[in-house]
Amino acid sequence: MIPRYSRPDMVAIWEPATKFRIWYEIEAHACDAMADLGVIPRENAEAVWKAKDVEFDVARIDEIEAVTKHDVIAFLTHLAEHVGSDEARFVHQGMTSSDVLDTCLNVQLVRAADILLADMDDLLAALKRRAFEHKDTLRVGRSHGIHAEPTTMGLTFARFYAEMDRNKNRLEKARFEIATGAISGAVGTFANIDPRVEEHVCEKLGLRAEPISTQVIPRDRHAMFFATLGVIASSIENVAVEIRHMQRTEVLEGAEFFSMGQKGSSAMPHKKNPVLTENLTGLARLVRMAVVPAMENVALWHERDISHSSVERMIGPDATVTLDFALARLTSVIDKMLIFPENMLDNMNKFPGLVMSQRVLLALTQAGVSREDAYAMVQRNALKVWEHRTDFKEELLADEEVCAALSVEEIEEKFDMGYHTKHVDTIFKRVFGES
């Protein structure tokens, strides 16, 4: 997590000051609940709220932790310095450190998810706008990197929109999954704290009470959350790789916006490199780097060990901050992306008419030619186009076997581009609804 790839709102979630503020709220709400239940005096619970406007001193907490070697105890000691030792003596009553740590982590992940969901809304809006803008802009579809059949640039954007919309749905589910808290005591049995305390704290923090915890919230929840981030990152890379391909000199069907004063190369002044989408490919790898450790965190010893702790202290901020930046960067790329329709047509016509080979194949079979013979007839003419850059339609018209099965008008008709775009509106309605 470095400033170059960070945005302030997401970074703020993971600042020590934010963490300590959440810890404080957990402890204060727990005291309120215990006072309501008659477990601790009401005045002690109210005294804890005297610190509600305090900016906790991170350096002081670090100083205490250097002695205690325990972060939660260091925080509680510092809290007592503000509240008073006697007034704070019921803070953390019946609780264990993981009650605070895990509940706080899930609050942070929920807040991070909310930012990421807003990021995805912005990206979806950009993809939808560009999809409708280029709904009928013809380009060649490719399989294995080789020309296949005509499609449109709008369908390319629509495909990415649908993928990101699925990702948004996945993230909403992951947010729901991670939005639990636990205030259940040393091994999750509530032996020293009433379950109603947990319910109260969770309600105040916008969480659900974890149905059954040990000393920790089950880590399968976190595994799903980070796996979802990894899938979103892979989809970002999917879009980025397509744009990188389109910007290649010999393709140049689309390109990242190149601003005034921008330089592409220190050595070659002519260069316009796809640096933003290359950067997104790298950032996607970093987000996915969190997935396997999150999966491995699921298996903990008995009711708890801390093998997961060091992992989450790093992947929590790193994955969410990086993905937030990547989503915002991709949105900007899509918004400003340059599209070159004429180059798309030029590329499609590098081997004139060749992309219509399947139409001719089907027409021959419908005219009574066996599929094997039809394939051989079409392929031999297609190979001439590959080798000599001739016109596919002209080759067919010069082939006696083809002309014996199909009239000139029937062959001509097979080169109508509209044939390949006739269902674009249907696909758009499936993706975007009736809008």
Side-chain angles (χ1 to χ4, degrees):
M1 190 176 70
I2 61 174
R4 185 180 184 92
Y5 303 125
S6 304
R7 301 205 306 161
D9 287 351
M10 187 66 86
V11 170
I13 290 173
W14 302 102
E15 294 286 1
T18 303
K19 176 183 71 175
F20 293 135
R21 173 55 49 183
I22 298 169
W23 287 10
Y24 166 73
E25 291 175 5
I26 292 168
E27 297 285 3
H29 288 308
C31 286
D32 273 348
M34 286 187 277
D36 289 344
L37 295 169
V39 175
I40 69 171
R42 168 56 60 189
E43 56 267 26
N44 287 78
E46 291 174 353
V48 175
W49 287 105
K50 290 193 300 184
K52 71 180 188 308
D53 297 320
V54 167
E55 289 188 18
F56 295 108
D57 188 338
V58 175
R60 173 59 181 151
I61 295 171
D62 290 344
E63 178 186 335
I64 299 168
E65 186 181 353
V67 176
T68 63
K69 304 296 190 294
H70 196 292
D71 53 355
V72 174
I73 292 174
F75 169 74
L76 294 172
T77 301
H78 181 56
L79 177 60
E81 291 175 343
H82 289 287
V83 175
S85 295
D86 187 61
E87 290 87 344
R89 64 195 175 98
F90 295 112
V91 172
H92 208 66
Q93 177 97 351
M95 295 167 62
T96 188
S97 297
S98 292
D99 290 335
V100 178
L101 295 170
D102 281 14
T103 303
C104 173
L105 175 61
N106 284 9
V107 168
Q108 290 172 300
L109 291 175
V110 166
R111 293 178 183 178
D114 287 338
I115 292 176
L116 294 173
L117 286 166
D119 293 340
M120 298 201 75
D121 283 338
D122 292 340
L123 177 56
L124 287 167
L127 288 167
K128 181 176 181 178
R129 180 177 66 81
R130 300 313 299 266
F132 277 92
E133 179 185 353
H134 291 285
K135 183 174 74 168
D136 300 312
T137 303
L138 280 168
R139 71 183 294 232
V140 68
R142 297 169 172 88
S143 55
H144 306 277
I146 308 300
H147 285 196
E149 291 191 346
T151 182
T152 76
M153 190 64 218
L155 287 175
T156 301
F157 282 124
R159 169 165 58 91
F160 292 140
Y161 176 95
E163 184 172 346
M164 288 299 176
D165 192 46
R166 291 192 296 273
N167 282 328
K168 181 185 174 186
N169 182 257
R170 292 177 183 121
L171 184 55
E172 288 170 340
K173 291 176 180 176
R175 183 198 184 280
F176 177 82
E177 179 113 349
I178 205 69
T180 68
I183 311 290
S184 56
V187 292
T189 61
F190 298 102
N192 295 299
I193 193 165
D194 194 296
R196 287 172 289 182
V197 175
E198 179 183 76
E199 292 167 4
H200 176 83
V201 172
C202 288
E203 181 184 356
K204 292 294 183 182
L205 295 175
L207 305 175
R208 305 181 315 283
E210 181 65 44
I212 178 169
S213 55
T214 55
Q215 197 170 101
V216 294
I217 291 173
R219 256 45 194 182
D220 60 288
R221 295 185 181 277
H222 303 75
M224 179 190 171
F225 186 88
F226 286 101
T228 300
L229 301 192
V231 173
I232 296 169
S234 293
S235 293
I236 290 173
E237 183 178 15
N238 189 25
V239 180
V241 167
E242 178 67 21
I243 295 170
R244 289 168 60 191
H245 165 75
M246 283 195 282
Q247 192 163 334
R248 290 167 55 209
T249 306
E250 61 270 31
V251 178
L252 202 59
E253 294 179 356
E256 297 174 10
F257 178 76
F258 201 79
S259 62
M260 288 294 294
Q262 184 175 343
K263 304 293 187 285
S265 166
S266 63
M268 296 167 282
H270 72 277
K271 295 293 291 296
K272 287 186 176 183
N273 300 331
V275 292
L276 299 178
T277 44
E278 288 176 341
N279 169 254
L280 287 170
T281 298
L283 294 178
R285 294 169 184 166
L286 290 174
V287 175
R288 287 196 299 268
M289 188 170 63
V291 176
V292 171
M295 297 285 184
E296 292 175 341
N297 280 351
V298 174
L300 300 176
W301 282 24
H302 306 298
E303 277 62 50
R304 182 231 184 176
D305 64 55
I306 64 163
S307 59
H308 64 288
S309 176
S310 56
V311 174
E312 290 167 353
R313 289 173 192 263
M314 298 178 73
I315 67 172
D318 284 357
T320 56
V321 169
T322 303
L323 188 59
D324 169 52
F325 180 89
L327 285 166
R329 169 155 285 184
L330 181 58
T331 299
S332 178
V333 168
I334 297 297
D335 258 332
K336 300 175 183 178
M337 186 178 168
L338 304 176
I339 304 296
F340 305 114
E342 290 183 2
N343 290 352
M344 292 178 182
L345 289 177
D346 286 344
N347 286 337
M348 188 148 40
N349 291 321
K350 280 183 178 178
F351 299 91
L354 205 56
V355 294
M356 300 301 190
S357 70
Q358 183 178 192
R359 280 210 73 192
V360 179
L361 171 66
L362 296 178
L364 287 168
T365 60
Q366 289 163 357
V369 181
S370 73
R371 183 174 178 84
E372 291 75 15
D373 289 344
Y375 197 101
M377 292 160 63
V378 174
Q379 187 179 44
R380 70 176 176 237
N381 288 290
L383 290 175
K384 293 176 186 177
V385 181
W386 272 110
E387 293 167 9
H388 305 295
R389 296 293 182 94
T390 53
D391 187 289
F392 184 52
K393 181 170 65 174
E394 296 304 319
E395 294 291 349
L396 292 171
L397 290 170
D399 188 306
E400 292 182 2
E401 265 195 294
V402 173
C403 290
L406 300 173
S407 69
V408 172
E409 291 76 17
E410 286 174 323
I411 294 173
E412 292 274 1
E413 189 271 332
K414 300 302 176 285
F415 289 82
D416 174 20
M417 286 288 183
Y419 175 86
H420 289 279
T421 60
K422 61 182 179 290
H423 293 304
V424 169
D425 286 338
T426 299
I427 299 170
F428 265 58
K429 285 177 183 177
R430 288 181 172 185
V431 174
F432 300 108
E434 297 293 333
S435 60

